[in-house]
Amino acid sequence: MNRITRAALTVPIVSLTALLAAAGPAMAAEGSARADLTPVPVNPVTASGQGTVQISGTNLSFTLAAQGLLADAPHAAHIHFGATARNECPTASDNNAAALAGETDPHTHFTTTEGAPAYGEIVVSLTTSGDTSPASGLAVDRFAVGDDFEYSRGDVQVSQEVADAILSGKAVVVIHGVDYDGDGAYSAGDRGVSDLDASLPGEATDPALCGVLKATPAGGVAAGDGSSATDEASSLPYVLGGLALTAAGGAAFAARRNSRTTA
Ligand SMILES: [Cu+2]
């Protein structure tokens, strides 16, 4: 113990500063987050979903799942964020904030555009393959299909701003696709054409499920997240090792621990 203390005292301050500077940003950019997805207000959706995200620097991996959406239809899904957005899921009061072209009966349809003040713009397209930029936001041939899906991807590159937003609880996962008229397919029906792309029915792009990504504690008990379970398992021996040290250390160690606890 004495040797350790003396060594710590004699480490030059410059080295400590360099160490902290090197460790700081790397630690800040690591983490995971989880979103529990629930139906967007107004729209007739009885479904649920889960999104988990791991961040390492500006590298992102994710798993996305949903149950109960329109069968046999593609479901566009994104991470949304806006620096001036509220960074939350929309409420019914966000409906009809502005008149929208292509929306024929505004009271019964909640569009993607109407949710933007709450969740912001598309920053990551959660596609099953290929490009993941906002440009792929409506690439309906590269999203999951059906009423019960789960898929994962890794090595998605995001901006530092987006990585920070995710780890600070400001990013929102949204899954799209609402069958208003219940005809079992995306059709113009009484909803009309999409506010995002007039070549698509509004049913294909309106938001169905939404959830804010919230940081999961390191070693936490995030359900269904394999990597978190691994983290927890690997940190367990570390904790146990610390307990063993405490027991072996005797009264002096216990006293130090007490003073630390009350500090
Ligand atoms: Cu979206």
Side-chain angles (χ1 to χ4, degrees):
M1 285 264 287
N2 278 343
R3 267 176 62 194
I4 291 167
T5 307
R6 194 174 299 164
L9 285 172
T10 53
V11 168
I13 288 168
V14 167
S15 301
L16 272 176
T17 308
L19 245 172
L20 288 172
M27 288 177 70
E30 298 282 337
S32 57
R34 176 184 170 92
D36 289 309
L37 311 182
T38 57
V40 168
V42 178
N43 292 344
V45 174
T46 51
S48 57
Q50 306 79 33
T52 55
V53 168
Q54 287 80 42
I55 295 282
S56 178
T58 55
N59 188 291
L60 175 152
S61 58
F62 71 87
T63 297
L64 185 68
Q67 309 83 35
L69 294 173
L70 178 61
D72 303 322
H75 293 285
H78 320 106
I79 297 175
H80 287 246
F81 167 70
T84 59
R86 304 201 306 270
N87 308 130
E88 61 189 28
C89 287
T91 65
S93 62
D94 288 309
N95 197 23
N96 302 322
L100 293 172
E103 192 186 10
T104 53
D105 185 359
H107 296 290
T108 54
H109 308 120
F110 192 95
T111 68
T112 295
T113 305
E114 285 165 329
Y119 47 57
E121 306 301 315
I122 296 169
V123 291
V124 180
S125 295
L126 300 174
T127 55
T128 54
S129 66
D131 177 59
T132 54
S133 77
S136 290
L138 296 178
V140 286
D141 57 334
R142 289 188 290 115
F143 286 105
V145 174
D147 57 354
D148 188 357
F149 63 77
E150 175 171 341
Y151 64 104
S152 301
R153 285 193 73 180
D155 282 329
V156 174
Q157 294 305 313
V158 299
S159 69
Q160 189 63 58
E161 182 187 29
V162 168
D164 292 345
I166 290 169
L167 292 179
S168 59
K170 294 179 176 174
V172 180
V173 173
V174 181
I175 305 181
H176 303 255
V178 181
D179 183 22
Y180 291 102
D181 57 12
D183 68 352
Y186 295 146
S187 52
D190 61 353
R191 164 62 177 86
V193 300
S194 171
D195 45 301
L196 303 180
D197 180 346
S199 72
L200 294 171
E203 288 191 342
T205 68
D206 280 3
L209 293 170
C210 179
V212 177
L213 281 166
K214 294 173 182 165
T216 44
V221 286
D225 187 329
S227 68
S228 284
T230 307
D231 287 346
E232 189 180 31
S234 63
S235 66
L236 195 58
Y238 199 76
V239 172
L240 289 176
L243 287 173
L245 265 179
T246 305
F253 210 107
R256 229 186 101 191
R257 219 170 125 241
N258 284 342
S259 69
R260 195 182 295 166
T261 306
T262 52

